[in-house]
């Protein structure tokens, strides 16, 4: 066997994406380069690693076993690198974080300084919906998760990073009487929802239920950006996190509707399993957050206090 670490890295990415094209994009390689690496690895085995049915790539059972072995090999290689840097007195390791989709406006600001100061660390951040974030945490696939609603079925520790405000918003063409009640408004205007499982949707539905409001659902969309564009286009109203609306509010494309019952207020929290034994790099990151989160908030999110 003469396979290389690069071949294993490429093959592992192919198994994750189920696509040579997507693997090439994520690895910043050309599609032919990825195909060559897959072919060179395949040539060392008599049993197929992948197969094409129609136009879809499938990983064979044998290929899945090779992928598992590849992951273990690459983890050991990374561990050697981390240990080498540790002996040099350099903080090193990998932090894996799963972030709910709106959290992409939050988490990078609480990571950048720590990453820049510690060149020996790697950060892997997956941005997805709340259901998948909690699943990744539950399965111990990540060190931390960023959420705005704590999971009810997991025993977790948490670190509050900042406040999360949700307002009812519409586009710039809506003219409202400032005394209008939200139940009157939402009984007449269609409401745009996030998908089931989204923390924003959970907060919105709880608010509507608690207020006894009869709201008409116009659209259900799978990302905050899609909801934002639908609101700007005039397709309806939505209750959205303030954190993702800074540019649209400043440009006047979106306006916060003057409803006295709002905002809904939750907190952005970094959470981790209570029984998890955190790595030295993860513990160092928590210490960094404790010491610096207030300053990071003041430097990057003071605009939130204007609303």
């Amino acid at each position: 066997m003469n396979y290389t670490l690069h071949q294993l890295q490429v093959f592992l990415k192919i198994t994750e994406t189920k696509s040579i094209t997507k693997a090439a994009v994520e690895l910043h390689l050309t599609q032919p380069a990825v195909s060559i690496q897959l072919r060179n690895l395949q040539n060392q085995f008599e049993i197929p690693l992948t197969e094409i049915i129609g136009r879809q790539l499938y990983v064979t059972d044998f290929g899945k076993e090779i992928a598992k072995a590849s992951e273990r090999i690459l983890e050991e290689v990374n561990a050697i690198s981390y240990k080498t840097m540790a002996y040099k007195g350099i903080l090193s390791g990998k932090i894996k974080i799963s972030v709910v989709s709106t959290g992409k406006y939050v988490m990078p600001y609480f990571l950048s300084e720590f990453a820049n100061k510690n060149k020996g660390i790697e950060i892997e951040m997956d941005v997805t919906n709340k259901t998948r974030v909690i699943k990744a945490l539950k399965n111990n696939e990540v060190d931390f998760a960023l959420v705005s609603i704590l999971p009810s079925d997991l025993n977790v520790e948490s670190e509050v990073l900042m406040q999360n405000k949700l307002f009812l918003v519409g586009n710039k063409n809506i003219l409202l009487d400032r005394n209008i009640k939200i139940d009157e408004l939402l009984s007449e205007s269609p409401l745009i929802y996030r998908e089931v499982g989204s923390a924003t949707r959970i907060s919105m539905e709880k608010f509507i239920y608690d207020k006894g409001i009869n709201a008409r659902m116009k659209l259900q969309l799978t990302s905050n950006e899609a909801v934002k564009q639908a609101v700007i286009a005039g397709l309806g109203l939505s209750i959205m996190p303030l954190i993702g609306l800074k540019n649209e509010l400043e440009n006047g494309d979106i306006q916060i509707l003057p409803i006295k019952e709002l905002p809904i207020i939750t907190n952005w929290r970094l959470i981790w399993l209570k029984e998890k034994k955190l790595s030295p790099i993860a513990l160092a990151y928590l210490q960094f957050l404790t010491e610096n989160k207030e300053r990071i908030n003041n430097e990057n999110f003071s605009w939130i206090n204007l609303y």
Side-chain angles (χ1 to χ4, degrees):
M1 294 289 178
N2 294 310
Y3 52 77
T4 66
L5 293 176
H6 184 53
Q7 288 169 0
L8 297 182
Q9 289 170 334
V10 170
F11 179 62
L12 197 56
K13 184 60 66 175
I14 290 171
T15 64
E16 291 172 2
T17 61
K18 305 295 189 297
S19 165
I20 289 175
T21 301
K22 291 179 181 177
V25 171
E26 293 194 18
L27 291 168
H28 305 290
L29 297 172
T30 64
Q31 187 173 333
V34 170
S35 297
I36 289 169
Q37 293 301 320
L38 176 60
R39 184 170 65 248
N40 290 342
L41 181 64
Q42 176 63 76
N43 288 341
Q44 299 179 67
F45 301 99
E46 296 180 3
I47 305 171
L49 299 171
T50 62
E51 56 187 359
I52 304 294
I53 300 177
R55 301 182 66 181
Q56 179 63 47
L57 182 145
Y58 294 89
V59 182
T60 64
D61 289 341
F62 177 69
K64 291 175 183 177
E65 292 299 319
I66 297 301
K68 290 178 184 177
S70 299
E71 187 170 17
R72 290 194 296 269
I73 291 169
L74 293 171
E75 284 178 353
E76 288 298 321
V77 171
N78 287 333
I80 292 172
S81 298
Y82 298 147
K83 288 175 182 177
T84 301
M85 286 186 282
Y87 270 98
K88 293 179 179 180
I90 301 172
L91 189 62
S92 61
K94 179 183 285 189
I95 298 177
K96 294 184 178 181
I97 306 175
S98 190
V99 177
V100 294
S101 58
T102 309
K104 65 178 176 286
Y105 301 108
V106 175
M107 202 65 230
Y109 293 94
F110 290 92
L111 285 169
S112 60
E113 184 179 338
F114 182 76
N116 290 334
K117 284 182 176 178
N118 299 284
K119 301 299 185 181
I121 71 167
E122 293 181 48
I123 296 173
E124 185 177 304
M125 187 173 81
D126 179 42
V127 180
T128 183
N129 67 20
K130 180 176 181 288
T131 300
R132 292 180 181 176
V133 166
I134 299 305
K135 182 179 178 181
L137 187 68
K138 186 176 183 179
N139 292 341
N140 200 31
E141 296 170 358
V142 294
D143 300 300
F144 302 109
L146 182 72
V147 297
S148 59
I149 298 177
L150 288 172
S152 58
D153 59 340
L154 287 180
N155 194 11
V156 300
E157 301 275 7
S158 71
E159 180 77 28
V160 174
L161 299 186
M162 61 180 291
Q163 198 175 73
N164 181 39
K165 296 180 180 180
L166 294 94
F167 289 92
L168 182 67
V169 297
N171 75 359
K172 60 185 178 183
N173 298 321
I174 295 177
L175 299 175
L176 289 179
D177 181 342
R178 297 194 70 85
N179 295 317
I180 193 169
K181 295 182 179 179
I182 191 170
D183 54 348
E184 298 173 1
L185 178 60
L186 294 184
S187 65
E188 299 175 0
S189 302
L191 199 58
I192 302 170
Y193 281 64
R194 282 288 306 275
E195 79 281 9
V196 174
S198 159
T200 298
R201 170 138 178 186
I202 292 170
S203 295
M204 184 166 71
E205 288 185 326
K206 183 179 185 302
F207 176 79
I208 290 171
Y209 177 81
D210 289 346
K211 299 296 181 182
I213 298 168
N214 181 24
R216 294 190 294 119
M217 183 169 72
K218 176 75 171 181
L219 285 172
Q220 176 177 289
L221 300 171
T222 58
S223 75
N224 221 50
E225 290 299 318
V227 172
K228 192 190 316 184
Q229 293 306 316
V231 170
I232 292 172
L235 287 173
L237 312 178
S238 192
I239 294 178
M240 299 187 69
L242 177 64
I243 191 68
L245 299 174
K246 185 175 187 290
N247 291 336
E248 289 73 21
L249 289 169
E250 290 178 350
N251 296 336
D253 295 325
I254 279 179
Q255 61 173 313
I256 292 175
L257 305 183
I259 304 300
K260 66 179 181 179
E261 296 93 339
L262 293 169
I264 302 168
I265 296 179
T266 61
N267 287 303
W268 287 111
R269 297 172 182 264
L270 195 70
I271 64 174
W272 61 97
L273 294 175
K274 194 166 188 176
E275 64 273 19
K276 184 175 179 63
K277 185 177 180 180
L278 293 173
S279 66
I281 186 71
L283 291 171
Y285 180 56
L286 285 179
Q287 182 178 350
F288 167 82
L289 286 179
T290 301
E291 296 172 353
N292 295 279
K293 65 180 182 179
E294 185 175 352
R295 175 179 56 79
I296 293 171
N297 267 308
N298 291 336
E299 290 176 355
N300 299 284
F301 300 109
S302 59
W303 65 271
I304 287 175
N305 298 323
L306 300 174
Y307 298 92

